[in-house]
Amino acid sequence: AQKVTQAQTEISVVEKEDVTLDCVYETRDTTYYLFWYKQPPSGELVFLIRRNSFDEQNEISGRYSWNFQKSTSSFNFTITASQVVDSAVYFCALSSSGSARQLTFGSGTQLTVLP
Amino acid sequence: DAGITQSPRHKVTETGTPVTLRCHQTENHRYMYWYRQDPGHGLRLIHYSYGVKDTDKGEVSDGYSVSRSKTEDFLLTLESATSSQTSVYFCAISGGSSYNEQFFGPGTRLTVL
């Protein structure tokens, strides 16, 4: 069975602060994929990043960065210099190869960035 | 943006009535999914399809059925709606070169009174 845990239910920061959203996963598969999705107040789900289990390089995209550590089964997401527009619910998800690409989602972290 | 539409976008119905939600894609992707989103639970998979007429159950399939007669359409049916099925329903697609990531439709807000 697969499981994704996002222990932080809600986080509130002031604009320009850095914030890290935690994601811990469980799977018995050796090949798997990890994802982050953003759900802004408008309700749509926006794909942010995919990382496969064989690629532990960290990734940076603008103010966003992701830290993948297999040793701790974590795939954390950091927003640098947060902005009000970053306010959203962020979901971490896991998919194993051969599982018809099914995604197992965490329960999400509500991020509020205050001006 | 992936071409995914859902209809209706909002629906209010009464307990015991049948309800069908439609997901339509223009991407010709092989895989299609139905999720429900409830507070504190994230998104949970209801059913998915890996091809025309090929479907399987997800984590929370009780009370739901699906059909896929064409690549582009995936229907979710609540045979007899209950108040516990009040939720936001999302359709997603996956396939092509975008291996494994899923792209989501805009969602359908269903209220069962």
Side-chain angles (χ1 to χ4, degrees), chain B residues 35-108:
Chain B
Y35 292 88
R36 60 179 289 173
Q37 183 178 19
D38 304 291
H41 290 281
L43 282 87
R44 293 180 292 174
L45 182 64
I46 305 171
H47 281 280
Y48 65 97
S49 170
Y50 45 96
V52 173
K53 300 190 187 302
D54 291 322
T55 65
D56 207 347
K57 296 178 179 180
E59 177 187 357
V60 290
S61 59
D62 288 348
Y64 302 95
S65 62
V66 291
S67 66
R68 191 171 179 198
S69 59
K70 298 185 293 184
T71 298
E72 57 266 35
D73 290 325
F74 192 32
L75 304 181
L76 176 70
T77 297
L78 291 66
E79 300 291 347
S80 178
T82 67
S83 58
S84 64
Q85 293 175 312
T86 292
S87 188
V88 179
Y89 292 85
F90 285 96
C91 173
I93 64 174
S94 178
S97 61
S98 58
Y99 188 69
N100 270 39
E101 53 260 41
Q102 294 180 17
F103 298 95
F104 287 80
T108 294

Side-chain angles (χ1 to χ4, degrees), chain A residues 33 37 39 50 95 100-101, chain B residues 33 37 95 99-102:
Chain A
Y33 296 81
Y37 285 85
Q39 187 176 42
R50 168 177 62 92
S95 173
R101 308 183 178 190
Chain B
Y33 310 82
Q37 183 178 19
Y99 188 69
N100 270 39
E101 53 260 41
Q102 294 180 17

Side-chain angles (χ1 to χ4, degrees), chain A residues 44-99:
Chain A
E44 73 271 25
L45 282 150
V46 179
F47 165 74
L48 294 179
I49 188 170
R50 168 177 62 92
R51 174 66 75 219
N52 72 57
S53 54
F54 298 107
D55 181 3
E56 287 193 72
Q57 286 189 346
N58 293 331
E59 182 155 339
I60 298 174
S61 176
R63 297 184 296 107
Y64 295 171
S65 62
W66 291 269
N67 182 357
F68 176 30
Q69 292 194 332
K70 289 180 73 171
S71 61
T72 56
S73 297
S74 65
F75 186 43
N76 296 337
F77 174 28
T78 297
I79 302 174
T80 303
S82 60
Q83 299 176 1
V84 172
V85 293
D86 295 326
S87 296
V89 180
Y90 291 87
F91 292 98
C92 181
L94 167 69
S95 173
S96 296
S97 65
S99 63

